[in-house]
Amino acid sequence: MDRVRLEAITWERLGDALAERLLDLKPADGGPWPKVAFDGAPAARPGDLAARVADALRLRGRTSLVVGTEGFLRPASLRFEYGRQDVEAYYGGWFDTGALWREVFGPLEPDGTGRVLPDLWDPVTDRATRSPYAQLPPGGALLLHGPLLLNHWFPFDLTVHVQLSPGALRRRTPEDEQWTLPAFARYDTETGPAAAADVVVRADDPRHPAWSG
């Protein structure tokens, strides 16, 4: 893994620090909606950090919308076309990036409506969720979390990578998901998220995170 200088921090302080950064974040596209990635393997729980930042923003009077890529999985017939444990499919074909562009990023372009679909597909029922659209007001932040996020050309204004060492990732990944580990090893090699992200959070010990500041 890439070496990044980190300092100890609590999750509460981390959420506050990231929220403060977002208050002054200006979208690169000139629009009114900053877009933030919380990237990490499921075992790193990037969604927990996104939710923490959303709470900290709310206390500061700023609206945000937390969206997880697990709500934009492709149907099982497509995900499992080459088997239920195909690493190549997981790495590049499980998530409906087209739907994310259409339903999440498109409405948040400078001339967009701000009407975002928070999820599209339920992986348990393998059916459309039929969730209502959420209206994100100008100044509201999109907080998108999920694995392998930096593999795509999504227009993020800030990227946060929640990092686990290979050993911690192996220990904290459930046995029935261990087959996904080669995908994350490939991600580290090909994309280098620890070097590419604006902020790195090391979460090997879930009680004592550290971050790059």
Side-chain angles (χ1 to χ4, degrees), residues 69 72-75 93-102 120 154:
T69 58
F72 286 87
L73 286 170
R74 300 172 78 195
W94 269 39
F95 297 97
D96 191 341
T97 55
L100 283 165
W101 278 105
R102 182 179 66 252
L120 177 66
F154 292 142

Side-chain angles (χ1 to χ4, degrees), residues 38-161:
F38 291 84
D39 172 63
R45 304 183 69 85
D48 289 357
L49 181 56
R52 187 179 290 275
V53 172
D55 288 342
L57 284 171
R58 178 177 51 79
L59 293 175
R60 289 161 173 79
R62 181 66 64 87
T63 301
S64 64
L65 178 65
V66 178
V67 175
T69 58
E70 73 272 7
F72 286 87
L73 286 170
R74 300 172 78 195
S77 60
L78 298 176
R79 297 200 312 276
F80 304 144
E81 183 178 0
Y82 302 104
R84 289 181 172 269
Q85 297 186 356
D86 186 87
V87 175
E88 186 70 25
Y90 179 76
Y91 189 74
W94 269 39
F95 297 97
D96 191 341
T97 55
L100 283 165
W101 278 105
R102 182 179 66 252
E103 302 291 357
V104 178
F105 289 104
L108 301 183
E109 292 178 350
D111 59 351
T113 64
R115 289 181 73 246
V116 174
L117 190 65
D119 53 59
L120 177 66
W121 200 258
D122 185 337
V124 176
T125 63
D126 200 36
R127 296 178 182 273
T129 58
R130 303 187 184 280
S131 295
Y133 282 86
Q135 185 69 47
L136 193 61
L142 169 70
L143 310 180
L144 181 69
H145 65 86
L148 312 171
L149 279 181
L150 306 188
N151 260 355
H152 312 287
W153 295 100
F154 292 142
F156 293 119
D157 299 299
L158 183 73
T159 53
V160 180
H161 174 61

Side-chain angles (χ1 to χ4, degrees), residues 170-195:
R170 187 170 53 254
R171 290 191 302 272
R172 291 171 56 183
T173 298
E175 185 174 351
D176 62 350
E177 297 176 15
Q178 292 272 319
W179 65 271
T180 64
L181 297 182
F184 293 107
R186 177 180 171 186
Y187 183 53
D188 283 345
T189 299
E190 295 184 353
T191 303

